[in-house]
Amino acid sequence: MGVIKTKSENDIVILGGARDYHAVDWYRAIRRVASERRVSMLTDTIVGEGFEKIVSEEDDVEQLYVVDSLLLGKGSRLADLWRNLLKLMVLPLQIILLRRFMAKNPTAIMHAHPMYYMFLCWIAGVKCGVTPQGSEILVRPKRSRLYRYFARRTLQAAAFVTVDSISMKDSVQQLSGVKALVVQNGVDTEEILKYATKVEKRSRISSIRGVTPLYRIREVVDARNRTEEKIPLTFVYPFKDDDYYVTTKAVFMEDDEDLGRVSKEDLYSLLAETLLTISIPNSDSSPRSVYEAVFAGSCVAAEYNQYMELMPACMRERVFVVNLKDDDWFAKAVDFARVKCITPFIPSPEAIEHYDQYKSLERVVKQIYG
């Protein structure tokens, strides 16, 4: 007879897309801070739609039915629609496979990222913790009553809910009546600071968010194109909407750099050379990319958001708050960065304590995983 594990010894399973940086980062961070336990990732996607593989042989990856081979070749609105339809069609099979997995691992603690996987657990009758993404709580429930219903039921069925900001916590409460635990989105501060200290001069103006309407990359380019000083932009993005990308790239300057998806190491190196990072999405919760840019020594141009109020002074003073109604916001943000970046970024102890991803997760791992 096998030994029954106590809760603090139970395996931890992160259910999510293995091509999703956020889910994979969470899995790897939990694996590091809970090294005495088995931490694995259970997934239905690894590559596909032009995504490069980000998990390696060193990662402990379990599979449901992997749909990669059935996806379209490139990201687009059509690809999004087809992926959603495909995942709906294979949902009965995924339910069976998920139940089989749990039958083999009855004491495992399941944690789903983001909403689709949360929904899958609810339908399969598998108790799990959940971490929704910002737009899944802040935007989509306002657009669809059907989505709002399923989101509410999924949240109410969860063993626990974690979110990355106070605004998300409040929205989850309003939507479902569930009290969520705020887990500050952290970054690998030690690794980023290694890159930041190697560079003395910064010149890049960078955009590192997805090339989709949500992130308003076209507005960034248009604002730059209105300036007298035509400054080249560097574009890095983890994903893109192909249709939106084509129309946006049509107004790029010849000297703009289109780097696409890069490794974490290359991203940190690029941010260490960046004077100003631009991030102006329609909605944001607690953007890790903004924190990465600040710790790399860059200034950030962003619309006002509640997460800024929680930043320590050393981080907040690197942020230029954008007013998109001001036609000159881009030029003003660049001028701000040129002055501010004369002084190197030195994180305060408070910044390290609250924004280092490992310190952040160490504080909550016992609370959410026992």
Side-chain angles (χ1 to χ4, degrees):
M1 181 180 294
V3 176
I4 299 176
K5 297 179 179 180
T6 64
K7 187 177 181 184
S8 61
E9 296 173 330
N10 290 356
D11 295 343
I12 300 169
V13 181
I14 308 303
L15 174 61
R19 65 183 200 182
D20 177 348
Y21 270 122
H22 291 291
V24 173
D25 278 351
W26 183 285
Y27 150 71
R28 287 176 175 162
I30 293 297
R31 192 177 182 186
R32 173 169 161 172
V33 301
S35 58
E36 75 284 0
R37 301 159 73 169
R38 183 190 176 194
V39 182
S40 61
M41 185 162 201
L42 181 62
T43 190
D44 64 343
T45 51
I46 299 173
V47 288
E49 296 178 324
F51 285 83
E52 295 181 6
K53 188 175 181 180
I54 60 175
V55 290
S56 68
E57 295 298 323
E58 297 178 356
D59 293 309
D60 188 347
V61 179
E62 302 266 6
Q63 297 181 7
L64 297 173
Y65 176 68
V66 175
V67 299
D68 295 348
S69 63
L70 303 177
L71 299 173
L72 300 184
K74 293 187 293 186
S76 65
R77 288 168 194 159
L78 178 60
D80 289 343
L81 289 171
W82 168 243
R83 185 192 331 106
N84 293 337
L85 178 60
L86 175 63
K87 287 198 169 191
L88 185 62
M89 289 190 295
V90 302
L91 186 62
L93 174 59
Q94 305 291 32
I95 290 171
I96 293 171
L97 294 177
L98 180 57
R99 286 173 174 170
R100 286 180 181 174
F101 178 88
M102 290 307 297
K104 294 178 181 178
N105 303 273
T107 63
I109 299 171
M110 184 74 67
H111 190 166
H113 300 235
M115 185 62 75
Y116 168 76
Y117 302 98
M118 296 158 51
F119 174 73
L120 171 59
C121 286
W122 174 51
I123 293 295
V126 172
K127 200 71 173 177
C128 72
V130 300
T131 298
Q133 292 180 343
S135 61
E136 294 175 336
I137 300 298
L138 301 176
V139 178
R140 295 178 194 173
K142 298 175 183 178
R143 295 178 176 175
S144 167
R145 289 184 179 180
L146 183 63
Y147 181 94
R148 183 180 179 86
Y149 168 78
F150 282 112
R152 182 174 67 251
R153 292 295 303 274
T154 300
L155 291 166
Q156 290 171 341
F160 59 83
V161 180
T162 75
V163 293
D164 58 18
S165 68
I166 297 297
S167 61
M168 281 281 284
K169 179 180 179 178
D170 292 343
S171 295
V172 167
Q173 177 84 38
Q174 293 169 9
L175 176 63
S176 65
V178 173
K179 291 184 178 180
L181 173 68
V182 177
V183 180
Q184 173 62 56
N185 257 344
V187 299
D188 191 341
T189 59
E190 182 178 349
E191 190 68 17
I192 296 173
L193 290 170
K194 288 179 184 177
Y195 288 86
T197 55
K198 293 178 182 178
V199 177
E200 294 183 1
K201 188 175 181 180
R202 298 171 178 275
S203 58
R204 294 180 184 272
I205 311 297
S206 301
S207 169
I208 62 174
R209 307 302 292 266
V211 182
T212 71
L214 171 65
Y215 296 105
R216 299 196 285 205
I217 307 302
R218 176 60 185 265
E219 284 88 334
V220 173
V221 180
D222 288 342
R224 186 279 310 275
N225 290 349
R226 289 195 299 268
T227 62
E228 293 183 10
E229 182 185 4
K230 295 300 185 274
I231 305 169
L233 290 166
T234 298
F235 295 94
V236 170
Y237 41 91
F239 51 86
K240 64 180 179 179
D241 177 315
D242 209 47
D243 301 326
Y244 181 78
Y245 169 78
V246 169
T247 59
T248 301
K249 189 168 184 178
V251 294
F252 280 12
M253 280 175 35
E254 184 178 350
D255 292 336
D256 288 341
E257 289 185 284
D258 182 1
L259 302 181
R261 192 174 195 178
V262 300
S263 68
K264 277 289 183 184
E265 294 76 14
D266 288 340
L267 175 63
Y268 296 160
S269 180
L270 181 142
L271 288 174
E273 300 172 355
T274 295
L275 180 75
L276 179 70
T277 304
I278 302 176
S279 177
I280 56 166
N282 282 315
S283 70
D284 233 350
S285 178
S286 180
R288 179 178 298 177
S289 57
V290 168
Y291 309 144
E292 287 175 328
V294 171
F295 273 94
S298 170
C299 286
V300 173
E303 275 198 295
Y304 173 79
N305 194 290
Q306 192 175 15
Y307 72 81
M308 296 176 184
E309 301 295 340
L310 301 178
M311 285 181 164
C314 66
M315 297 176 67
R316 178 64 180 82
E317 66 184 12
R318 312 289 285 198
V319 178
F320 178 85
V321 178
V322 169
N323 177 7
L324 291 180
K325 295 180 180 179
D326 181 355
D327 287 343
D328 296 327
W329 69 260
F330 184 93
K332 291 177 180 177
V334 173
D335 289 342
F336 169 88
R338 284 172 173 162
V339 173
K340 186 61 66 175
C341 281
I342 293 173
T343 304
F345 174 70
I346 300 176
S348 66
E350 180 188 2
I352 296 292
E353 182 65 24
H354 289 282
Y355 288 86
D356 181 88
Q357 64 180 351
Y358 303 116
K359 291 182 181 296
S360 177
L361 288 177
E362 280 174 353
R363 289 192 296 272
V364 299
V365 70
K366 291 182 179 180
Q367 188 171 352
I368 63 176
Y369 297 132

